Amino acid sequence: MNLSHIVTGWSKSLGVMKVNDAERKLSEERMNKCAVCPFAKESSFLKLFRGKAEDIKTIYCRKCGCPVNEKTLVAEEQCPENKW
Ligand code: SF4
């Protein structure tokens, strides 16, 4: 993900930017493919946002290193294995 896509993906993931119905549907379709992909890896991190700290479980792609939830929310992003 380039810097612009990183900012967009995280802004949508955190609710700073709105996600429309088409984007949500596209993200869900992509996430379903990531969920069964051998390159997907579960991870967790501490999220500090709006004065709160939360332990967040997430899935990263071992092929490109991106967090897949945020990656799938950016329409212009592509799977490095051409699965979506
Ligand atoms: S982005 Fe592609 S390669 Fe990475 S976990 Fe998802 S389906 Fe697999």
Side-chain angles (χ1 to χ4, degrees):
M1 292 170 75
N2 65 33
L3 183 58
S4 169
H5 288 185
I6 291 170
V7 171
T8 299
W10 280 102
S11 295
K12 288 181 177 180
S13 172
L14 294 171
V16 176
M17 288 176 69
K18 287 194 172 190
V19 179
N20 65 36
D21 289 345
E23 291 169 329
R24 178 70 57 207
K25 185 172 185 290
L26 178 65
S27 175
E28 287 173 2
E29 290 170 357
R30 290 171 163 181
M31 288 291 288
N32 286 338
K33 292 177 181 170
C34 291
V36 294
C37 175
F39 290 108
K41 180 180 182 226
E42 283 190 32
S43 183
S44 65
F45 66 94
L46 190 64
K47 181 179 90 173
L48 301 171
F49 187 64
R50 293 182 177 157
K52 289 186 192 172
E54 288 179 68
D55 188 30
I56 301 293
K57 297 213 181 309
T58 188
I59 298 173
Y60 278 85
C61 173
R62 285 185 290 148
K63 190 74 180 183
C64 64
C66 297
V68 295
N69 182 52
E70 286 69 26
K71 182 178 180 76
T72 62
L73 286 167
V74 180
E76 297 82 8
E77 277 293 316
Q78 295 179 335
C79 167
E81 289 291 304
N82 294 317
K83 295 186 180 189
W84 48 262

